Amino acid sequence: SQQGEEDPQALSIQEGENATMNCSYKTSINNLQWYRQNSGRGLVHLILIRSNEREKHSGRLRVTLDTSKKSSSLLITASRAADTASYFCATPSGGYQKVTFGTGTKLQVIP
Amino acid sequence: NAGVTQTPKFQVLKTGQSMTLQCAQDMNHEYMSWYRQDPGMGLRLIHYSVGAGITDQGEVPNGYNVSRSTTEDFPLRLLSAAPSQTSVYFCASSYGTAVDEQFFGPGTRLTVL
């Protein structure tokens, strides 16, 4: 079963707008990762946030983690057409030997 | 560095055939994994390895075998292909564990008729 569920399933925005996607998970975690997948390609790691961090930034990415609500959000600011991709959260499932990926949010940025 | 390479890129099999999907990495990573990706279901872990000679099952291991005789290579064997194994298969590797940054290969698109 999926540990993480992303919301929304699909998102379409204009270039320059901000994009926010959310991930909810079921069990307590030590960290959460976000990955990006361009169409027809493998996943690329974006950022990892630990359970003792509430917010983390990397370039135009801002990730938050609310362990009390078991949820995380990924914000992409000033989106570009090149941000068009699917975004997945990944949570540990079995110590540090396995992660479970969510079903993903498909983001389309319209030029 | 080539990173994580997978061969073949595409494959069509008939039900009952067997084949091996190849995966190699040149980053001296200890952790390697195989996932399958189906529409609307995200990625599901098939098998993983924490080092040469050590493998373990993931979420959906049935119908697949793996071995890890070297640090670099982690082949995935389909024993007797079934239409339910039609999917896109990704190999990934990381320095130490699944929660370290995983580097993914380009994928193999497999169709079983």
mmCIF file of all heavy atoms in Angstrom, chain A residues 56-95:
data_model
loop_
_atom_site.group_PDB
_atom_site.id
_atom_site.type_symbol
_atom_site.label_atom_id
_atom_site.label_comp_id
_atom_site.label_asym_id
_atom_site.label_seq_id
_atom_site.Cartn_x
_atom_site.Cartn_y
_atom_site.Cartn_z
ATOM 1 N N LYS A 56 12.454 23.757 4.679
ATOM 2 C CA LYS A 56 13.762 23.693 4.050
ATOM 3 C C LYS A 56 13.680 24.309 2.666
ATOM 4 O O LYS A 56 12.667 24.151 1.971
ATOM 5 C CB LYS A 56 14.241 22.238 3.962
ATOM 6 C CG LYS A 56 15.723 22.076 3.707
ATOM 7 C CD LYS A 56 16.136 20.641 3.957
ATOM 8 C CE LYS A 56 17.632 20.469 3.758
ATOM 9 N NZ LYS A 56 18.053 19.074 4.041
ATOM 10 N N HIS A 57 14.739 25.009 2.272
ATOM 11 C CA HIS A 57 14.741 25.686 0.983
ATOM 12 C C HIS A 57 15.877 25.159 0.125
ATOM 13 O O HIS A 57 16.947 24.797 0.620
ATOM 14 C CB HIS A 57 14.934 27.198 1.169
ATOM 15 C CG HIS A 57 13.828 27.868 1.895
ATOM 16 N ND1 HIS A 57 12.884 28.652 1.266
ATOM 17 C CD2 HIS A 57 13.496 27.859 3.211
ATOM 18 C CE1 HIS A 57 12.029 29.119 2.167
ATOM 19 N NE2 HIS A 57 12.380 28.651 3.349
ATOM 20 N N SER A 58 15.630 25.118 -1.181
ATOM 21 C CA SER A 58 16.676 24.806 -2.138
ATOM 22 C C SER A 58 16.340 25.539 -3.431
ATOM 23 O O SER A 58 15.449 25.130 -4.174
ATOM 24 C CB SER A 58 16.757 23.300 -2.385
ATOM 25 O OG SER A 58 17.729 23.003 -3.373
ATOM 26 N N GLY A 59 17.031 26.630 -3.683
ATOM 27 C CA GLY A 59 16.729 27.429 -4.874
ATOM 28 C C GLY A 59 15.296 27.915 -4.848
ATOM 29 O O GLY A 59 14.858 28.564 -3.896
ATOM 30 N N ARG A 60 14.517 27.585 -5.881
ATOM 31 C CA ARG A 60 13.106 27.991 -5.940
ATOM 32 C C ARG A 60 12.169 26.998 -5.240
ATOM 33 O O ARG A 60 10.952 27.149 -5.294
ATOM 34 C CB ARG A 60 12.686 28.132 -7.407
ATOM 35 C CG ARG A 60 13.372 29.274 -8.140
ATOM 36 C CD ARG A 60 12.863 29.424 -9.573
ATOM 37 N NE ARG A 60 13.175 28.250 -10.386
ATOM 38 C CZ ARG A 60 12.259 27.414 -10.853
ATOM 39 N NH1 ARG A 60 10.974 27.588 -10.594
ATOM 40 N NH2 ARG A 60 12.627 26.380 -11.602
ATOM 41 N N LEU A 61 12.729 26.014 -4.583
ATOM 42 C CA LEU A 61 11.925 25.014 -3.894
ATOM 43 C C LEU A 61 11.840 25.332 -2.410
ATOM 44 O O LEU A 61 12.827 25.710 -1.789
ATOM 45 C CB LEU A 61 12.536 23.621 -4.064
ATOM 46 C CG LEU A 61 12.776 23.124 -5.477
ATOM 47 C CD1 LEU A 61 13.367 21.720 -5.432
ATOM 48 C CD2 LEU A 61 11.507 23.141 -6.296
ATOM 49 N N ARG A 62 10.626 25.169 -1.879
ATOM 50 C CA ARG A 62 10.453 25.289 -0.435
ATOM 51 C C ARG A 62 9.633 24.084 0.015
ATOM 52 O O ARG A 62 8.536 23.849 -0.497
ATOM 53 C CB ARG A 62 9.737 26.577 -0.072
ATOM 54 C CG ARG A 62 9.381 26.698 1.405
ATOM 55 C CD ARG A 62 8.588 27.959 1.674
ATOM 56 N NE ARG A 62 7.871 27.869 2.939
ATOM 57 C CZ ARG A 62 6.575 28.090 3.090
ATOM 58 N NH1 ARG A 62 5.844 28.440 2.057
ATOM 59 N NH2 ARG A 62 6.007 27.975 4.274
ATOM 60 N N VAL A 63 10.171 23.344 0.950
ATOM 61 C CA VAL A 63 9.490 22.154 1.466
ATOM 62 C C VAL A 63 9.168 22.376 2.931
ATOM 63 O O VAL A 63 10.000 22.887 3.684
ATOM 64 C CB VAL A 63 10.375 20.904 1.298
ATOM 65 C CG1 VAL A 63 9.771 19.718 2.040
ATOM 66 C CG2 VAL A 63 10.541 20.572 -0.168
ATOM 67 N N THR A 64 7.965 22.002 3.310
ATOM 68 C CA THR A 64 7.583 22.032 4.723
ATOM 69 C C THR A 64 7.202 20.629 5.166
ATOM 70 O O THR A 64 6.808 19.783 4.353
ATOM 71 C CB THR A 64 6.410 22.992 4.970
ATOM 72 O OG1 THR A 64 5.255 22.509 4.258
ATOM 73 C CG2 THR A 64 6.745 24.401 4.525
ATOM 74 N N LEU A 65 7.326 20.408 6.454
ATOM 75 C CA LEU A 65 6.954 19.120 7.035
ATOM 76 C C LEU A 65 6.222 19.374 8.342
ATOM 77 O O LEU A 65 6.736 20.071 9.223
ATOM 78 C CB LEU A 65 8.196 18.262 7.297
ATOM 79 C CG LEU A 65 7.958 16.880 7.901
ATOM 80 C CD1 LEU A 65 7.123 16.000 6.967
ATOM 81 C CD2 LEU A 65 9.289 16.195 8.211
ATOM 82 N N ASP A 66 5.022 18.839 8.446
ATOM 83 C CA ASP A 66 4.223 18.932 9.664
ATOM 84 C C ASP A 66 4.001 17.525 10.174
ATOM 85 O O ASP A 66 3.119 16.812 9.692
ATOM 86 C CB ASP A 66 2.893 19.630 9.367
ATOM 87 C CG ASP A 66 2.091 19.937 10.630
ATOM 88 O OD1 ASP A 66 2.268 19.219 11.638
ATOM 89 O OD2 ASP A 66 1.281 20.872 10.605
ATOM 90 N N THR A 67 4.821 17.112 11.124
ATOM 91 C CA THR A 67 4.730 15.736 11.608
ATOM 92 C C THR A 67 3.454 15.489 12.393
ATOM 93 O O THR A 67 2.984 14.346 12.451
ATOM 94 C CB THR A 67 5.948 15.384 12.465
ATOM 95 O OG1 THR A 67 6.070 16.361 13.515
ATOM 96 C CG2 THR A 67 7.218 15.368 11.636
ATOM 97 N N SER A 68 2.878 16.526 12.984
ATOM 98 C CA SER A 68 1.637 16.332 13.738
ATOM 99 C C SER A 68 0.471 16.021 12.809
ATOM 100 O O SER A 68 -0.442 15.289 13.159
ATOM 101 C CB SER A 68 1.316 17.569 14.576
ATOM 102 O OG SER A 68 1.037 18.683 13.744
ATOM 103 N N LYS A 69 0.523 16.574 11.591
ATOM 104 C CA LYS A 69 -0.530 16.319 10.605
ATOM 105 C C LYS A 69 -0.118 15.233 9.613
ATOM 106 O O LYS A 69 -0.889 14.883 8.719
ATOM 107 C CB LYS A 69 -0.862 17.597 9.847
ATOM 108 C CG LYS A 69 -1.483 18.685 10.703
ATOM 109 C CD LYS A 69 -1.830 19.905 9.874
ATOM 110 C CE LYS A 69 -2.463 20.975 10.737
ATOM 111 N NZ LYS A 69 -2.774 22.207 9.980
ATOM 112 N N LYS A 70 1.117 14.754 9.753
ATOM 113 C CA LYS A 70 1.633 13.745 8.825
ATOM 114 C C LYS A 70 1.483 14.238 7.381
ATOM 115 O O LYS A 70 0.878 13.562 6.517
ATOM 116 C CB LYS A 70 0.959 12.396 9.015
ATOM 117 C CG LYS A 70 1.287 11.711 10.344
ATOM 118 C CD LYS A 70 0.730 10.303 10.414
ATOM 119 C CE LYS A 70 1.249 9.542 11.631
ATOM 120 N NZ LYS A 70 0.891 10.193 12.907
ATOM 121 N N SER A 71 2.024 15.407 7.132
ATOM 122 C CA SER A 71 1.924 15.959 5.786
ATOM 123 C C SER A 71 3.139 16.812 5.472
ATOM 124 O O SER A 71 3.808 17.339 6.367
ATOM 125 C CB SER A 71 0.645 16.771 5.632
ATOM 126 O OG SER A 71 0.710 17.950 6.409
ATOM 127 N N SER A 72 3.399 16.931 4.175
ATOM 128 C CA SER A 72 4.487 17.757 3.672
ATOM 129 C C SER A 72 3.984 18.497 2.444
ATOM 130 O O SER A 72 3.077 18.020 1.743
ATOM 131 C CB SER A 72 5.688 16.888 3.300
ATOM 132 O OG SER A 72 6.710 17.647 2.688
ATOM 133 N N SER A 73 4.562 19.656 2.203
ATOM 134 C CA SER A 73 4.214 20.373 0.982
ATOM 135 C C SER A 73 5.483 20.786 0.255
ATOM 136 O O SER A 73 6.520 21.032 0.870
ATOM 137 C CB SER A 73 3.361 21.605 1.287
ATOM 138 O OG SER A 73 4.129 22.554 1.990
ATOM 139 N N LEU A 74 5.376 20.816 -1.061
ATOM 140 C CA LEU A 74 6.451 21.278 -1.931
ATOM 141 C C LEU A 74 5.943 22.495 -2.684
ATOM 142 O O LEU A 74 4.933 22.404 -3.390
ATOM 143 C CB LEU A 74 6.863 20.187 -2.919
ATOM 144 C CG LEU A 74 7.841 20.602 -4.033
ATOM 145 C CD1 LEU A 74 9.204 20.964 -3.453
ATOM 146 C CD2 LEU A 74 7.996 19.474 -5.060
ATOM 147 N N LEU A 75 6.621 23.613 -2.512
ATOM 148 C CA LEU A 75 6.274 24.845 -3.207
ATOM 149 C C LEU A 75 7.369 25.156 -4.215
ATOM 150 O O LEU A 75 8.553 25.194 -3.867
ATOM 151 C CB LEU A 75 6.135 25.997 -2.212
ATOM 152 C CG LEU A 75 6.051 27.412 -2.803
ATOM 153 C CD1 LEU A 75 4.765 27.600 -3.586
ATOM 154 C CD2 LEU A 75 6.187 28.474 -1.714
ATOM 155 N N ILE A 76 6.957 25.367 -5.458
ATOM 156 C CA ILE A 76 7.884 25.807 -6.500
ATOM 157 C C ILE A 76 7.511 27.255 -6.814
ATOM 158 O O ILE A 76 6.385 27.524 -7.256
ATOM 159 C CB ILE A 76 7.800 24.944 -7.764
ATOM 160 C CG1 ILE A 76 8.049 23.472 -7.437
ATOM 161 C CG2 ILE A 76 8.796 25.419 -8.819
ATOM 162 C CD1 ILE A 76 7.819 22.526 -8.604
ATOM 163 N N THR A 77 8.404 28.171 -6.569
ATOM 164 C CA THR A 77 8.099 29.576 -6.821
ATOM 165 C C THR A 77 8.520 29.978 -8.234
ATOM 166 O O THR A 77 9.433 29.379 -8.822
ATOM 167 C CB THR A 77 8.812 30.480 -5.814
ATOM 168 O OG1 THR A 77 10.228 30.283 -5.936
ATOM 169 C CG2 THR A 77 8.384 30.161 -4.382
ATOM 170 N N ALA A 78 7.823 30.974 -8.778
ATOM 171 C CA ALA A 78 8.148 31.524 -10.100
ATOM 172 C C ALA A 78 8.384 30.404 -11.113
ATOM 173 O O ALA A 78 9.467 30.289 -11.691
ATOM 174 C CB ALA A 78 9.364 32.436 -10.001
ATOM 175 N N SER A 79 7.363 29.591 -11.303
ATOM 176 C CA SER A 79 7.534 28.376 -12.113
ATOM 177 C C SER A 79 7.944 28.682 -13.554
ATOM 178 O O SER A 79 7.634 29.750 -14.097
ATOM 179 C CB SER A 79 6.241 27.565 -12.101
ATOM 180 O OG SER A 79 5.206 28.318 -12.707
ATOM 181 N N ARG A 80 8.620 27.725 -14.141
ATOM 182 C CA ARG A 80 9.096 27.812 -15.524
ATOM 183 C C ARG A 80 8.558 26.621 -16.302
ATOM 184 O O ARG A 80 8.214 25.598 -15.717
ATOM 185 C CB ARG A 80 10.618 27.797 -15.555
ATOM 186 C CG ARG A 80 11.262 28.864 -14.699
ATOM 187 C CD ARG A 80 12.733 28.592 -14.527
ATOM 188 N NE ARG A 80 13.386 29.593 -13.677
ATOM 189 C CZ ARG A 80 14.597 29.482 -13.175
ATOM 190 N NH1 ARG A 80 15.329 28.393 -13.450
ATOM 191 N NH2 ARG A 80 15.111 30.436 -12.415
ATOM 192 N N ALA A 81 8.528 26.736 -17.610
ATOM 193 C CA ALA A 81 8.060 25.626 -18.438
ATOM 194 C C ALA A 81 8.873 24.367 -18.162
ATOM 195 O O ALA A 81 8.355 23.246 -18.204
ATOM 196 C CB ALA A 81 8.135 26.011 -19.914
ATOM 197 N N ALA A 82 10.149 24.540 -17.836
ATOM 198 C CA ALA A 82 11.015 23.393 -17.565
ATOM 199 C C ALA A 82 10.653 22.664 -16.275
ATOM 200 O O ALA A 82 11.143 21.555 -16.032
ATOM 201 C CB ALA A 82 12.476 23.845 -17.493
ATOM 202 N N ASP A 83 9.802 23.272 -15.450
ATOM 203 C CA ASP A 83 9.345 22.598 -14.227
ATOM 204 C C ASP A 83 8.247 21.587 -14.517
ATOM 205 O O ASP A 83 7.832 20.839 -13.616
ATOM 206 C CB ASP A 83 8.823 23.624 -13.213
ATOM 207 C CG ASP A 83 9.912 24.557 -12.719
ATOM 208 O OD1 ASP A 83 11.078 24.109 -12.609
ATOM 209 O OD2 ASP A 83 9.609 25.737 -12.442
ATOM 210 N N THR A 84 7.739 21.565 -15.731
ATOM 211 C CA THR A 84 6.717 20.579 -16.115
ATOM 212 C C THR A 84 7.264 19.178 -15.899
ATOM 213 O O THR A 84 8.273 18.792 -16.492
ATOM 214 C CB THR A 84 6.315 20.767 -17.586
ATOM 215 O OG1 THR A 84 5.650 22.027 -17.735
ATOM 216 C CG2 THR A 84 5.402 19.648 -18.050
ATOM 217 N N ALA A 85 6.603 18.428 -15.022
ATOM 218 C CA ALA A 85 7.097 17.113 -14.615
ATOM 219 C C ALA A 85 6.104 16.531 -13.620
ATOM 220 O O ALA A 85 5.142 17.188 -13.225
ATOM 221 C CB ALA A 85 8.478 17.224 -13.965
ATOM 222 N N SER A 86 6.367 15.306 -13.217
ATOM 223 C CA SER A 86 5.635 14.715 -12.092
ATOM 224 C C SER A 86 6.512 14.777 -10.860
ATOM 225 O O SER A 86 7.727 14.614 -10.943
ATOM 226 C CB SER A 86 5.256 13.271 -12.402
ATOM 227 O OG SER A 86 4.291 13.208 -13.422
ATOM 228 N N TYR A 87 5.877 15.029 -9.713
ATOM 229 C CA TYR A 87 6.602 15.179 -8.457
ATOM 230 C C TYR A 87 6.101 14.144 -7.462
ATOM 231 O O TYR A 87 4.889 13.967 -7.289
ATOM 232 C CB TYR A 87 6.408 16.601 -7.914
ATOM 233 C CG TYR A 87 7.079 17.632 -8.798
ATOM 234 C CD1 TYR A 87 6.444 18.094 -9.944
ATOM 235 C CD2 TYR A 87 8.357 18.100 -8.511
ATOM 236 C CE1 TYR A 87 7.056 19.010 -10.790
ATOM 237 C CE2 TYR A 87 8.982 19.030 -9.334
ATOM 238 C CZ TYR A 87 8.328 19.472 -10.472
ATOM 239 O OH TYR A 87 8.944 20.379 -11.300
ATOM 240 N N PHE A 88 7.041 13.460 -6.834
ATOM 241 C CA PHE A 88 6.723 12.370 -5.928
ATOM 242 C C PHE A 88 7.345 12.623 -4.561
ATOM 243 O O PHE A 88 8.498 13.056 -4.480
ATOM 244 C CB PHE A 88 7.274 11.042 -6.455
ATOM 245 C CG PHE A 88 6.690 10.592 -7.757
ATOM 246 C CD1 PHE A 88 7.245 10.992 -8.967
ATOM 247 C CD2 PHE A 88 5.591 9.747 -7.777
ATOM 248 C CE1 PHE A 88 6.706 10.575 -10.169
ATOM 249 C CE2 PHE A 88 5.049 9.315 -8.985
ATOM 250 C CZ PHE A 88 5.606 9.732 -10.170
ATOM 251 N N CYS A 89 6.602 12.293 -3.519
ATOM 252 C CA CYS A 89 7.212 12.239 -2.203
ATOM 253 C C CYS A 89 7.589 10.786 -1.920
ATOM 254 O O CYS A 89 7.005 9.855 -2.485
ATOM 255 C CB CYS A 89 6.283 12.785 -1.127
ATOM 256 S SG CYS A 89 4.745 11.867 -0.864
ATOM 257 N N ALA A 90 8.579 10.621 -1.057
ATOM 258 C CA ALA A 90 9.048 9.279 -0.699
ATOM 259 C C ALA A 90 9.306 9.248 0.797
ATOM 260 O O ALA A 90 9.968 10.141 1.340
ATOM 261 C CB ALA A 90 10.311 8.924 -1.473
ATOM 262 N N THR A 91 8.802 8.231 1.456
ATOM 263 C CA THR A 91 8.938 8.113 2.900
ATOM 264 C C THR A 91 9.561 6.767 3.248
ATOM 265 O O THR A 91 9.334 5.763 2.549
ATOM 266 C CB THR A 91 7.579 8.229 3.596
ATOM 267 O OG1 THR A 91 6.653 7.319 2.987
ATOM 268 C CG2 THR A 91 7.026 9.642 3.492
ATOM 269 N N PRO A 92 10.331 6.691 4.326
ATOM 270 C CA PRO A 92 10.939 5.427 4.732
ATOM 271 C C PRO A 92 9.868 4.403 5.089
ATOM 272 O O PRO A 92 8.845 4.726 5.690
ATOM 273 C CB PRO A 92 11.760 5.796 5.964
ATOM 274 C CG PRO A 92 11.955 7.265 5.877
ATOM 275 C CD PRO A 92 10.753 7.802 5.197
ATOM 276 N N SER A 93 10.144 3.142 4.727
ATOM 277 C CA SER A 93 9.218 2.061 5.064
ATOM 278 C C SER A 93 10.044 0.809 5.305
ATOM 279 O O SER A 93 10.264 0.025 4.416
ATOM 280 C CB SER A 93 8.222 1.843 3.929
ATOM 281 O OG SER A 93 8.900 1.595 2.712
ATOM 282 N N GLY A 94 10.497 0.621 6.514
ATOM 283 C CA GLY A 94 11.389 -0.511 6.767
ATOM 284 C C GLY A 94 12.760 0.009 7.115
ATOM 285 O O GLY A 94 13.740 -0.291 6.436
ATOM 286 N N GLY A 95 12.847 0.817 8.159
ATOM 287 C CA GLY A 95 14.129 1.386 8.537
ATOM 288 C C GLY A 95 14.651 2.295 7.446
ATOM 289 O O GLY A 95 13.912 3.084 6.867
#
